[in-house]
Amino acid sequence: MTDLSRRAALLAAMLTPIAASACSRGQSQASSGVDAPGEGPVVHDMSDMPASWTQDNQIAMLCYPRMTILDLIGPQYMFASLMGATVHLVAKTRDPITSDTGVTIVPTATFDETPSNLTVLFAPGGTDGTLAAMRDDETRNWVADRGSRAQYVTSVCTGSLILGAAGLLRGYNATCHWGGLSALSEFGATPVDARIVKDRNRITGAGVTAGLDFGLQMLAELRDRTYAEGVQLMCEYDPHPPFNAGSVHTAPIHVRAMIQAMVAPFPGQVREVAREIGVSAG
């Protein structure tokens, strides 16, 4: 059994409702503090698991050189927790891909090998790697093709700029990492400063760590709230950061000024790409 299969089995056991009779027996045992004579431990009745919790979802996650690895891995953890789903790590070839932090990912499918009809198309972000992906005709055409039929078209961080370059955000509200948010308008999207933005079947997440919040929302979309909350508990996603500097609205002024100066050229670089590929807001 693969690691993902083990995790899915564990999730199934954890999330499955307890049958009424088992609940009743368990309450009786709890009140006495011992097992009832002739009865073993309470067993989850797997037949009570909602049928909707297991679905044949096809999820394609775009991979490309110098992408931000946490943009990919946070949502991938969540998607891989979907019972019955197949998660494809998709790239132009199956050659290993090195992320912007040096972590290497091995794609599981090429563009041609990816199912034509997807439940979810997902794009992670980055900086120079994202600009290169936006410029790449093959990448852009694949995103446009699969996105035209996908049930959900999604991204985290500057991955929304790739969706925009592929023509998938025109007329939609969307978000992005704050450093590239304004550039979404180059592709006919309406930038929204929010952690997660849902506009019809377009669901976009803000920068990097927003991928965890995005992933949980997608679990609720594809299953239900109880399923998503179970996965949240399983991965103990209960953030208590040591500093309150995770937003341009809360970071100390000197920190904000330093980081804003670092990312200042990025929107202009996106506009240059938009001109090169012939995409405009009009």
Side-chain angles (χ1 to χ4, degrees):
M1 183 182 290
T2 65
D3 288 342
L4 291 180
S5 297
R6 290 191 194 95
R7 188 183 342 152
L10 182 58
L11 283 166
M14 179 186 71
L15 295 171
T16 301
I18 301 175
S21 60
C23 285
S24 175
R25 185 172 69 247
Q27 291 166 357
S28 173
Q29 292 170 0
S31 65
S32 66
V34 296
D35 287 345
E39 294 182 355
V42 174
V43 177
H44 290 280
D45 182 353
M46 301 301 285
S47 66
D48 276 4
M49 183 173 64
S52 61
W53 280 6
T54 302
Q55 298 180 32
D56 182 20
N57 302 127
Q58 296 294 317
I59 300 168
M61 306 187 75
L62 176 66
C63 300
Y64 54 89
R66 301 187 308 284
M67 64 183 171
T68 296
I69 193 63
L70 189 53
D71 288 359
L72 180 82
I73 291 301
Q76 190 271 343
Y77 179 94
M78 302 300 180
F79 286 138
S81 298
L82 289 166
M83 290 183 286
T86 301
V87 182
H88 307 274
L89 301 178
V90 186
K92 293 174 68 173
T93 72
R94 286 177 176 255
D95 294 338
I97 288 175
T98 302
S99 72
D100 60 356
T101 61
V103 174
T104 299
I105 290 289
V106 179
T108 61
T110 65
F111 290 164
D112 290 340
E113 294 169 339
T114 311
S116 296
N117 296 296
L118 297 170
T119 310
V120 179
L121 170 68
F122 172 83
T127 51
D128 60 328
T130 302
L131 296 171
M134 293 166 65
R135 285 187 170 99
D136 185 76
D137 291 342
E138 190 175 351
T139 298
R140 203 169 57 250
N141 291 339
W142 177 81
V143 170
D145 176 74
R146 296 307 193 270
S148 68
R149 294 183 299 276
Q151 183 179 348
Y152 293 96
V153 176
T154 72
S155 65
V156 163
C157 199
T158 55
S160 56
L161 298 174
I162 297 176
L163 301 182
L168 295 174
L169 292 182
R170 187 178 304 279
Y172 288 87
N173 295 324
T175 195
C176 185
H177 185 284
W178 59 265
L181 183 62
S182 64
L184 278 170
S185 60
E186 294 294 316
F187 307 106
T190 299
V192 178
D193 181 10
R195 189 74 167 170
I196 303 170
V197 173
K198 179 182 179 183
D199 187 347
R200 290 156 283 178
N201 75 329
R202 268 55 168 175
I203 303 180
T204 53
V208 194
T209 60
L212 292 169
D213 300 341
F214 159 86
L216 286 174
Q217 177 153 334
M218 290 304 302
L219 294 187
E221 289 279 339
L222 295 168
R223 298 296 184 265
D224 58 32
R225 176 170 176 164
T226 298
Y227 195 106
E229 289 176 335
V231 174
Q232 181 180 8
L233 178 58
M234 174 62 79
C235 66
E236 200 171 357
Y237 178 44
D238 182 28
H240 295 279
F243 312 111
N244 190 24
S247 163
V248 292
H249 305 295
T250 62
I253 293 175
H254 68 285
V255 173
R256 185 168 68 245
M258 175 179 64
I259 302 302
Q260 284 176 328
M262 291 175 60
V263 303
F266 187 71
Q269 294 170 333
V270 173
R271 295 184 184 98
E272 181 180 344
V273 173
R275 289 193 296 270
E276 288 178 16
I277 65 178
V279 176
S280 65

